[in-house]
Amino acid sequence: MRHSTDSATARLLRTNWIYFLVGGVLLCALFCMSLFIGKYPLTIDGLLSGNDLQWRVFKTLRLSRTLAGCFGGFALAIAGYIYQTVFRNSLASPDIIGVSSGASAGAAVGILFLGSSVAITLCSFGGAILAVILALAFASIDKSGHKSTVVLAGIAVHSIAQTILMCLKLTADPEKELASIEYWIMGSLNNISSHSMIGNLILCAICVILSCLLHRQTLLLSADEGEAQMLGVNVATTRLIVLALATIMVASIVSMTGLISFVGLVAPHCAKKLTGNNKLSTMLLAGIIGGCLLTAADILARSIAATELPVSIFTSLIGAPFLIYLIAGGKQKL
């Protein structure tokens, strides 16, 4: 009996390693494709020959955009995994507590009153963090500590942020500012440069590492609160820390890219479906899948039409049918 159990465990480990290998190879292939696909064609010969223009495009635009796609998708998927685990809700995604709406309102403020790309990024980041602070503050009013309280607080913050955003749109210039706001909301990696992304990616990487170190505590948060407390977990404090890390990850990415839909929903589901468990390896596999999804969507966004399209068009083409599948299958826990 024990021999059969050990054999099953060994097969599972081998299967998981195969998934990691395939996912890693696919992500590397998409990374390389992304470096050479775009309006200005780059070639290996041109780079090796030291062509100055090609190297400038490669270093300042293409490499930074590709890194943002791979790592941005990775972080959004990790955040989605955390939200789904903590809330025990398979439909939970990175905007569950209003982070996306707060980022949108912050970006609109930056577009209307400041104008520079750095200011828009900072305002978006600030709006996302402020939204989360408000959601957690509203949730703290309820002393029962139910998981649904944070979700309801997030819905309230989402409504407030959307109201602010609509008011800002009414004051925007329809030909310039309004179009910029709408384009930002649709999401794009077009304006990312090496100068604008370094701080965001470093902050995001720190949060990813800390989230991996807190994976056991995150899993315990998905159990009944009484059981988690018996196992030595301070539920309220740990939940606050874990959600804050996930939210900072999302804020770091969407403040650069605009809103990216469905990556944080689809990738964790795919990883759990493949591995059949909720271990740390599943969380990391979700990150790899998320990186593949966002990088592939960005490649399509800049190559499928004469003008560059928003990234969320392509992530939604995958995510919307997947969401319908989840609802039809009755697998969500509401």
Side-chain angles (χ1 to χ4, degrees), residues 3-16 279:
H3 177 71
S4 61
T5 303
D6 292 342
S7 299
T9 303
R11 285 197 301 271
L12 181 61
L13 288 173
R14 285 197 299 269
T15 304
N16 288 350
K279 296 180 179 179

Side-chain angles (χ1 to χ4, degrees), residues 9-296:
T9 303
R11 285 197 301 271
L12 181 61
L13 288 173
R14 285 197 299 269
T15 304
N16 288 350
W17 274 110
I18 291 173
Y19 291 142
F20 266 99
L21 180 61
V22 172
V25 170
L26 179 59
L27 185 58
C28 290
L30 289 170
F31 184 92
C32 294
M33 288 175 59
S34 179
L35 292 175
F36 292 95
I37 293 176
K39 298 302 178 186
Y40 183 83
L42 296 182
T43 63
I44 295 177
D45 291 340
L47 292 173
L48 292 177
S49 65
N51 183 288
D52 184 60
L53 181 56
Q54 290 216 18
W55 269 107
R56 274 189 290 167
V57 171
F58 177 82
K59 289 188 293 185
T60 60
L61 298 177
R62 207 66 60 78
L63 180 60
S64 56
R65 182 172 186 162
T66 300
L67 287 172
C70 292
F71 196 75
F74 188 96
L76 291 174
I78 296 290
Y81 173 95
I82 291 172
Y83 286 126
Q84 290 174 15
T85 301
V86 170
F87 295 117
R88 287 187 294 181
N89 188 326
S90 59
L91 297 182
S93 60
D95 57 356
I96 187 79
I97 51 179
V99 58
S100 297
S101 300
S104 299
V109 170
I111 291 170
L112 286 176
F113 301 111
L114 299 173
S116 70
S117 59
V118 175
I120 294 169
T121 298
L122 291 175
C123 288
S124 171
F125 185 88
I129 297 300
L130 180 60
V132 175
I133 292 173
L134 286 174
L136 295 177
F138 292 159
S140 67
I141 298 173
D142 182 3
K143 302 300 181 183
S144 65
H146 293 306
K147 295 178 176 66
S148 59
T149 304
V150 181
V151 178
L152 293 173
I155 294 172
V157 172
H158 170 77
S159 299
I160 294 171
Q162 285 298 310
T163 302
I164 294 172
L165 182 60
M166 285 188 288
C167 293
L168 292 171
K169 284 182 178 180
L170 288 174
T171 64
D173 181 351
E175 294 184 1
K176 296 180 180 179
E177 296 168 339
L178 184 58
S180 297
I181 292 172
E182 292 293 348
Y183 189 78
W184 190 95
I185 290 174
M186 288 188 287
S188 175
L189 276 63
N190 186 34
N191 295 322
I192 292 177
S193 66
S194 57
H195 305 294
S196 63
M197 63 176 279
I198 294 176
N200 291 48
L201 290 191
I202 291 174
L203 179 61
C204 192
I206 293 171
C207 291
V208 168
I209 293 170
L210 292 175
S211 297
C212 291
L213 295 176
L214 291 172
H215 178 263
R216 176 181 174 276
Q217 288 82 352
T218 303
L219 287 183
L220 291 176
L221 289 176
S222 66
D224 291 334
E225 293 193 10
E227 295 179 11
Q229 289 172 349
M230 289 177 60
L231 293 170
V233 176
N234 187 325
V235 175
T237 302
T238 305
R239 183 186 296 142
L240 177 64
I241 293 172
V242 169
L243 291 178
L245 289 172
T247 302
I248 292 172
M249 277 187 257
V250 177
S252 299
I253 299 304
V254 301
S255 63
M256 296 188 299
T257 65
L259 300 188
I260 304 295
S261 57
F262 288 111
V263 172
L265 172 69
V266 173
H269 275 288
C270 293
K272 292 173 187 176
K273 187 76 173 176
L274 290 172
T275 63
N277 59 58
N278 217 14
K279 296 180 179 179
L280 178 60
S281 58
T282 303
M283 184 169 77
L284 296 175
L285 181 60
I288 292 174
I289 295 172
C292 291
L293 286 175
L294 185 53
T295 306

